[in-house]
Amino acid sequence: MNISHPVLEDDQDTADFHRFSHGLYIGGQWRQSADSREIQVLDPSTEAVIAAVPDATIEDAAAAVEAAAKAADGWRTTPPRKRSEILRRCFELMTQRSETLATLISLENGKALRDARGEIAYAAEFFRWNAEEAVRITGEYGIAPSGTNRIVVDYEPIGICVLVTPWNFPAAMATRKIAPALAAGCTVILKPASETPLTAYALAALYQEAGVPPGVVNVLTTSNPGPVTAAMLADPRVRKLSFTGSTGVGRVLLAEAAKHVVSCSMELGGNAPFLVFDDADLDAAVDGAMVAKMRNAGEACTAANRIYVQSGVYDAFSESLARRMSSLKVGAGTDAATECGPMITRKAVDKIDRLVNDAVARGARVLCGGKAGSGTGYYYPPTVLCDVPAEAEMAHEEIFGPVAPISIFETEADAIARANDTEYGLAAYIYTRDLARGMQVASKIEAGMIGLNRGLMSDPAAPFGGVKQSGLGREGGQHHGIAEFMEAKYIAVSI
Ligand code: NAD
């Protein structure tokens, strides 16, 4: 059954907006799920239900693939300039509605409004960047070494793409995939996380308004992601899976995609080391650690998960970071004064609690925080631990919360060895005033991205992604992001 969808106005009161139920967005229509079941959406700061969204079935997923297939030819043959203009319009509308969208993110995700505003700016930028890239997809032309023929290489849209995204950046993780896929000429089905579906649906309405034709972007939410995703991957028209989420689920999806040899891009978990050398600008290092640790209250794949500080500045750095962390204002994300919002779920708080207790039991010292909130809302206070031993569980697992574990190191070689002592390889941070040393250490660290004297590296213009078990492929960057959604076709031309 088709249902109406609320239009997101520029200055709309989000308190009204989130009371609406949203439909699955398939083929440009808003509809209930085939069995009319729903998923409840909670506000992590109050634990109250704020909305319900349809719970898609395998039948709904088949309808979404059908809609994406129906729209595919029209979209791939739409002139690049026209595709570019539609993407540009998405950027403009997102920017115009940034305050409403940011409030919606804060409501369903819990993150502080200032982080949500940053996310919307970042998310919108993928549309602007890919609008610019859409008209610059070129091929290759050459003479075969034998001289008998020409080599012509064309880049074609890969086909229908299934996009699966996490709750921690409900807007940006979706636009980081949708914008390059559309620029490349692909049609997509987005399955956002069930914890934060409202942003995905609000953006779907915005794409429609921007002129994205029906069926080019389809959005469905489900509480049954394994079978629903597997059913889509089994359809031979689906040629791409782009996933952002945990390494554990990534492994499951890689195995599922392997059954049908579907191309995979994987943005997975992280365990970022943050190295501070004796010669670092200490104030800059503490500022950088605050950003690298506390953006999104620590719920980021790039979050500094292990902070290694050289012995000469260990005490000064630890005390300074603890002072800054303990002064953060904790509260509901939608409260403009909040600097650290609640975690996404009770389960997330329990995991952080377990990791902190384990580290303390193994000898870590608590400089601030260290105990989960007991009231309403999924709160964990900003926490700094020092003398965290290498065998602590948090040195090997993503904390995904506002906990900064600090350990001491003596030599550069020791710091590099410890930084690399993980199955992950997404992001790493280095603070030193010696640029040559910084570049040498960066070259020895096994990570896809390095912040050298910077606590933030995310940028649509740069290739984002990890090595080792942090992922496969890159998003954003010059050509990298779009290339994930294209196939090379080689034509041998006799002359
Ligand atoms: P998650 O892996 O639990 O879920 C991610 C998505 O996968 C959600 O949409 C979920 O519904 C879906 N999913 C879960 N099980 C599935 C299955 N069996 N089949 C198909 N889909 C399934 O991750 P999360 O808790 O939502 O997000 C946090 C994780 O994401 C962290 O590990 C974080 O590091 C990672 N992450 C990585 C990046 C990156 O760019 N590398 C960015 C953001 C988050």
Side-chain angles (χ1 to χ4, degrees):
M1 191 182 102
N2 290 348
I3 52 180
S4 65
H5 188 274
V7 175
L8 188 66
E9 303 292 349
D10 296 1
D11 54 355
Q12 183 156 356
D13 180 354
T14 322
D16 281 340
F17 180 70
H18 71 77
R19 279 197 210 105
F20 287 91
S21 261
H22 297 248
L24 303 171
Y25 183 61
I26 297 175
Q29 304 284 326
W30 299 94
R31 35 199 272 190
Q32 290 178 341
S33 72
D35 65 6
S36 301
R37 281 158 53 137
E38 290 190 323
I39 304 170
Q40 291 190 329
V41 185
L42 305 186
D43 173 349
S45 66
T46 60
E47 305 180 32
V49 175
I50 53 170
V53 294
D55 191 355
T57 62
I58 288 175
E59 199 181 331
D60 295 314
V65 174
E66 196 55 45
K70 215 168 140 201
D73 267 353
W75 185 246
R76 70 184 279 152
T77 54
T78 299
R81 173 61 68 204
K82 173 87 179 140
R83 290 206 297 261
S84 164
E85 280 164 0
I86 292 172
L87 295 179
R88 174 77 197 192
R89 185 76 188 126
C90 290
F91 161 73
E92 284 162 359
L93 285 176
M94 276 187 81
T95 307
Q96 217 172 299
R97 315 247 164 100
S98 59
E99 203 53 25
T100 310
L101 288 165
T103 309
L104 194 57
I105 291 180
S106 286
L107 259 176
E108 63 175 350
N109 169 283
K111 72 174 70 177
L113 204 47
R114 64 178 193 166
D115 283 333
R117 289 182 182 127
E119 180 182 346
I120 288 298
Y122 176 52
E125 201 57 49
F126 283 101
F127 281 112
R128 175 155 67 172
W129 179 258
N130 284 287
E132 290 157 356
E133 290 295 304
V135 287
R136 308 208 193 305
I137 298 167
T138 54
E140 292 152 35
Y141 181 87
I143 303 173
S146 63
T148 56
N149 61 288
R150 294 286 191 267
I151 293 172
V152 176
V153 183
D154 240 2
Y155 287 92
E156 299 185 337
I158 193 166
I160 297 174
C161 309
V162 170
L163 317 175
V164 180
T165 52
W167 49 263
N168 67 335
F169 289 94
M173 296 304 96
T175 63
R176 202 162 78 176
K177 299 182 189 306
I178 292 172
L182 267 53
C186 298
T187 59
V188 306
I189 300 132
L190 171 71
K191 195 221 76 63
S194 301
E195 294 87 348
T196 55
L198 304 182
T199 305
Y201 284 128
L203 287 175
L206 183 146
Y207 307 147
Q208 190 175 33
E209 194 184 337
V212 174
V216 171
V217 176
N218 306 277
V219 183
L220 53 83
T221 32
T222 179
S223 63
N224 197 20
V228 165
T229 309
M232 291 193 280
L233 294 179
D235 189 311
R237 294 170 296 181
V238 170
R239 296 311 317 145
K240 179 83 197 181
L241 169 65
S242 179
F243 172 74
T244 298
S246 60
T247 296
V249 173
R251 287 190 195 107
V252 171
L253 284 173
L254 279 168
E256 201 57 49
K259 289 183 192 164
H260 315 284
V261 195
V262 171
S263 163
C264 288
S265 298
M266 294 271 146
E267 294 289 344
L268 307 177
N271 181 8
F274 188 104
L275 275 45
V276 183
F277 286 92
D278 279 346
D279 65 354
D281 174 335
L282 213 55
D283 290 340
V286 173
D287 285 348
M290 289 300 292
V291 176
K293 178 75 251 180
M294 292 306 292
R295 188 165 68 110
N296 250 16
E299 293 178 314
C301 52
T302 50
N305 208 58
R306 299 168 288 149
I307 302 178
Y308 298 117
V309 185
Q310 206 162 12
S311 50
V313 292
Y314 184 77
D315 290 338
F317 177 91
S318 306
E319 282 156 22
S320 180
L321 187 66
R323 256 196 315 278
R324 293 279 295 277
M325 289 281 278
S326 55
S327 70
L328 290 175
K329 181 164 181 338
V330 178
T334 45
D335 178 343
T338 292
E339 293 170 299
C340 176
M343 302 294 97
I344 189 74
T345 53
R346 174 70 56 205
K347 197 168 146 213
V349 174
D350 291 345
K351 177 189 173 185
I352 299 165
D353 217 26
R354 167 177 67 76
L355 291 175
V356 170
N357 291 339
D358 167 77
V360 171
R362 292 176 196 266
R365 283 188 296 128
V366 180
L367 297 189
C368 67
K371 216 168 171 33
S374 54
T376 306
Y378 309 133
Y379 289 101
Y380 199 93
T383 295
V384 178
L385 305 179
C386 65
D387 304 343
V388 176
E391 60 279 11
E393 287 174 14
M394 65 172 58
H396 307 280
E397 253 184 78
E398 274 186 298
I399 302 168
F400 240 58
V403 177
I406 310 178
S407 309
I408 197 164
F409 74 86
E410 296 293 342
T411 66
E412 189 178 300
D414 177 30
I416 293 167
R418 290 169 74 180
N420 289 337
D421 183 19
T422 170
E423 67 186 20
Y424 296 103
L426 188 62
Y429 305 87
I430 303 163
Y431 273 80
T432 173
R433 280 198 175 94
D434 180 345
L435 185 60
R437 190 226 292 260
M439 292 300 284
Q440 278 161 20
V441 173
S443 74
K444 290 179 186 153
I445 288 189
E446 298 160 354
M449 299 176 287
I450 309 273
L452 181 49
N453 294 322
R454 278 187 68 77
L456 181 68
M457 72 257 299
S458 302
D459 188 328
F464 189 106
V467 301
K468 292 159 81 175
Q469 298 201 32
S470 283
L472 302 168
R474 294 292 181 272
E475 293 189 321
Q478 302 210 334
H479 316 305
H480 297 86
I482 289 189
E484 303 278 329
F485 294 99
M486 307 203 82
E487 287 279 27
K489 178 177 278 174
Y490 153 51
I491 308 167
V493 185
S494 279
I495 46 167

